[in-house]
Amino acid sequence: LGNAAADSASAILVKDVTTQLMQSQDLSVAALAVKLDIVQVQQFLTDISATRGLDGLDDGTQKAAEFAKQLDTDIATAETVAAAAGLTDVHTALGDVKAAFGPYYSTGQQMAAAYVAAGPEGGNKLMGSFDATAVALAEKVDKLLGSVKAYSDNVHSTAAIEQQQIAERRISAHQQQDD
């Protein structure tokens, strides 16, 4: 390959690698946002359960709802990136998180309402089922994050290899030009 052909091939490769690296970054950010949204839902449901809404500490249910809504947005973002990258395993894992979140959130809302209405006597009765849905959801989130990490690791590894190939092509093209 001459310099022009090597540069053209390198430019195409760089564009492909850059796209993959950007998708990897976008997907990682979205997946971590999904995890954070879920943690925030749990935090605010726990807050309202602990305070029982007394002394003006009554925004836990509203804040949990805001993060539940944000979760939908972050899952949609991750689904879009996963689809563009052709990652069916990540798309499936996102669907599993979405499916597990419904029972988790519903049970958490019921538990929080029981704590507010009847204190620990009422809320403690639902704590076990809330914990069970939290464990099930955590397993789905861990699987999602594992799939995203595997993709990201693969993209970064491929990028390093392709960077080496570009360098080798350029060296070869320059050596041929000097001959």
Side-chain angles (χ1 to χ4, degrees), residues 39 50 63-64 85 88-89 120 134 143-145 158:
V39 168
K63 295 284 189 185
T88 56
D89 60 330
K143 183 178 176 184
L144 167 65
L145 294 176
T158 301

Side-chain angles (χ1 to χ4, degrees), residues 4-157:
D7 287 345
S8 178
S10 295
I12 292 168
L13 199 52
V14 167
K15 182 180 177 193
D16 290 346
V17 169
T18 301
T19 298
Q20 291 173 356
L21 287 168
M22 289 173 53
Q23 287 174 334
S24 171
Q25 179 181 343
D26 292 347
L27 186 58
S28 294
V29 167
L32 289 173
V34 165
K35 181 177 181 175
L36 180 60
D37 295 336
I38 293 167
V39 168
Q40 292 289 62
V41 167
Q42 184 168 7
Q43 174 196 330
F44 285 111
L45 290 175
T46 302
D47 284 357
I48 193 73
S49 297
T51 65
R52 298 181 60 202
L54 301 175
D55 301 325
L57 301 172
D58 58 355
D59 65 347
T61 304
Q62 175 204 347
K63 295 284 189 185
E66 290 171 12
F67 280 100
K69 184 176 180 181
Q70 184 61 45
L71 176 68
D72 289 337
T73 301
D74 291 332
I75 286 176
T77 298
E79 286 174 332
T80 299
V81 177
L87 302 173
T88 56
D89 60 330
V90 172
H91 198 272
T92 299
L94 287 162
D96 292 345
V97 168
K98 207 185 309 187
F101 182 77
Y104 163 83
Y105 186 44
S106 176
T107 303
Q109 289 174 308
Q110 292 168 15
M111 178 194 69
Y115 271 109
V116 169
E121 215 173 277
N124 286 351
K125 293 175 185 175
L126 297 173
M127 180 66 76
S129 28
F130 181 61
D131 288 346
T133 62
V135 167
L137 180 57
E139 290 171 0
K140 304 299 184 194
V141 170
D142 288 346
K143 183 178 176 184
L144 167 65
L145 294 176
S147 294
V148 170
K149 183 178 182 330
Y151 170 66
S152 181
D153 289 349
N154 183 50
V155 165
H156 284 85
S157 176

